[in-house]
């Protein structure tokens, strides 16, 4: 019997039927020149779909907005050539028997106007804070000298433009046949900076108490739902940690987290993608529940865990390492927590990037390739 046998049960997410509970997590790759997904990108996703994964969440996809992404090789989802490229990706995944959902991404404060190469203007920040507010955390791109003085916050017009960009991206995606829409609302990017009281210093309808801090994300969800209809699911990624600060907390109590996630659930989120560095780390004192477990408990919505699945080596925990094969000692723990009902789906990132056949091997109980950080740079 496979160690992940319980994860092979089917699951229905709104109108999308998944053959199992294992999902390929979104991972930025910088392999789409001028934002256009190539044939190699199509092959990359199709190879993984062919292993039987329940669902593929794509790397972050830039919105049709000038400050959405700061790298010319991040895929976009607007323009004739770009959409033709995505058509090949989606068709290749479907032909391999897979399901694919693009993750819509706006970098917000981490959009570096000096590097982006397209558009002009300031990165999007809800409060206008650029440098650290109290010296704890900086939103300056690496190597950039920036004034700590605040710049003007996003106006209502700015916010409306970004929401419209999400809606257009979703419209384009479903027109191409994607199986749903994912939204990146984590890691210190734009939606997250509205949610987090550290970065959202507004005192209008978009900031203040948790419901108002969640209002921007909720409006994005509503706009996407209006475009994609009722059959396709909406996935929202959220996190405690930020790329700028791994010790950051979006919420320091269950009640605080529920106050933020509730409006997003009410707006139409079907699955909360709870991003944490290690899936087995408790979120709050007094409970063993991880972040996905709390999302499910607080909202009643489905949740997905992610973070270090089958990658104990990345944690530097020598007692878990078996030199004869990839460290898989955390899979029994993962399955145990799944069977307790803590979460509904499991996202696997670097293990699948490292070994495209990871899922097939895991199902068969076969060893898979040891994790190799160099694999993160390869097109495999």
């Amino acid at each position: 019997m496979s160690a992940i046998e319980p994860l092979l049960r089917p699951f229905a997410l709104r109108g999308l039927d998944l053959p199992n509970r294992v999902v390929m997590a979104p991972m930025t790759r910088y392999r789409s020149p001028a934002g256009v997904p190539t044939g190699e990108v199509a092959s990359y996703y199709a190879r993984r779909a062919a292993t039987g994964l329940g669902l593929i969440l794509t790397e972050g996809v830039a919105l049709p907005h000038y400050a959405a992404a700061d790298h010319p090789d991040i895929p976009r989802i607007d323009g004739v050539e770009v959409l033709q490229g995505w058509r090949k990706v989606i068709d290749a995944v479907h032909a391999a028997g897979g399901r694919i959902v693009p993750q819509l991404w706006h970098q917000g404060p981490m959009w570096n106007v000096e590097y982006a190469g397209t558009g002009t203007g300031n990165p999007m920040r809800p409060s206008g804070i650029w440098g650290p507010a109290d010296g704890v955390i900086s939103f300056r791109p690496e190597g950039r000298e920036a004034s700590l003085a605040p710049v003007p916050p996003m106006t209502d017009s700015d916010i409306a433009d970004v929401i419209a960009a999400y809606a257009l991206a979703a419209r384009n995606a479903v027109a191409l046949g994607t199986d749903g829409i994912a939204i990146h609302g984590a890691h210190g990017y734009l939606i997250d900076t509205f949610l987090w009281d550290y970065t959202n210093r507004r005192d209008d309808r978009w900031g203040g108490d948790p419901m108002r801090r969640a209002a921007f994300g909720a409006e994005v969800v509503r706009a996407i739902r209006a475009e994609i209809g009722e059959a396709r699911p909406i996935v929202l990624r959220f996190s405690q940690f930020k790329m700028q600060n791994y010790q950051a907390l979006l919420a320091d109590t269950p009640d605080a987290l529920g106050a933020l996630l509730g409006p997003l659930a009410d707006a139409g989120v079907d699955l909360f993608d709870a991003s944490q560095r290690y899936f087995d780390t408790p979120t709050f004192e007094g409970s063993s529940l991880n972040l996905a477990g709390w999302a499910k408990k607080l909202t009643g919505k489905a949740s997905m865990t992610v973070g270090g699945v089958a990658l104990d080596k990345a944690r530097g925990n020598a007692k878990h390492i078996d030199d004869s094969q990839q460290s898989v000692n955390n899979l029994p723990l993962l399955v145990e927590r799944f069977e307790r009902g803590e979460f509904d789906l499991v996202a696997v990132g670097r293990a699948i990037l490292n070994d495209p056949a990871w899922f097939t091997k895991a199902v068969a109980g076969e060893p898979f390739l040891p994790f190799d950080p160099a694999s993160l740079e390869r097109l495999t």
Side-chain angles (χ1 to χ4, degrees), residues 86-277:
W86 274 116
R87 173 74 73 181
K88 294 176 182 177
V89 174
I90 295 161
D91 287 351
V93 168
H94 286 164
R99 295 146 190 82
I100 185 168
V101 169
Q103 184 193 63
L104 305 184
W105 185 30
H106 194 299
Q107 290 187 340
M110 289 188 281
W111 184 85
N112 185 349
V113 69
E114 293 181 351
Y115 180 67
T118 58
T120 59
N122 290 316
M124 298 281 101
R125 298 175 298 286
S127 63
I129 295 173
W130 177 252
D134 58 14
V136 174
I137 177 173
S138 175
F139 285 81
R140 295 191 301 269
E142 184 177 356
R144 174 180 172 138
E145 294 183 2
S147 169
L148 302 190
V151 297
M154 289 176 71
T155 65
D156 282 348
S157 178
D158 292 331
I159 290 170
D161 286 347
V162 174
I163 293 172
Y166 274 103
L168 176 57
R171 184 189 317 156
N172 289 344
V174 297
L176 295 170
T178 62
D179 298 294
I181 295 294
I183 305 166
H184 201 328
H187 302 167
Y189 297 115
L190 185 61
I191 291 176
D192 194 22
T193 59
F194 273 88
L195 294 171
W196 193 22
D197 60 1
Y198 184 90
T199 45
N200 188 342
R201 309 296 179 87
R202 303 177 72 103
D203 59 4
D204 59 3
R205 62 174 291 205
W206 306 108
D209 62 36
M211 182 169 290
R212 286 187 291 169
R213 296 203 310 275
F216 173 69
E219 287 302 316
V220 168
V221 173
R222 291 189 187 95
I224 289 173
R225 176 61 67 204
E227 291 293 341
I228 71 174
E230 296 299 319
R232 291 179 171 89
I234 294 176
V235 179
L236 179 81
R237 169 164 278 203
F238 76 103
S239 68
Q240 291 272 49
F241 79 91
K242 319 302 172 191
M243 296 303 293
Q244 308 93 337
N245 185 348
Y246 284 146
Q247 282 70 52
L249 294 177
L250 179 66
D252 56 8
T253 67
D255 286 347
L257 183 62
L260 288 170
L261 298 185
L264 298 167
D266 292 344
V269 172
D270 299 295
L271 175 71
F272 283 100
D273 174 7
S275 178
Q276 58 184 118
R277 298 186 71 195

Side-chain angles (χ1 to χ4, degrees), residues 70-91:
D70 69 358
H71 196 290
D73 295 335
I74 289 174
R76 303 189 66 85
I77 196 156
D78 62 303
V80 174
E81 188 177 3
V82 170
L83 297 182
Q84 288 174 343
W86 274 116
R87 173 74 73 181
K88 294 176 182 177
V89 174
I90 295 161
D91 287 351

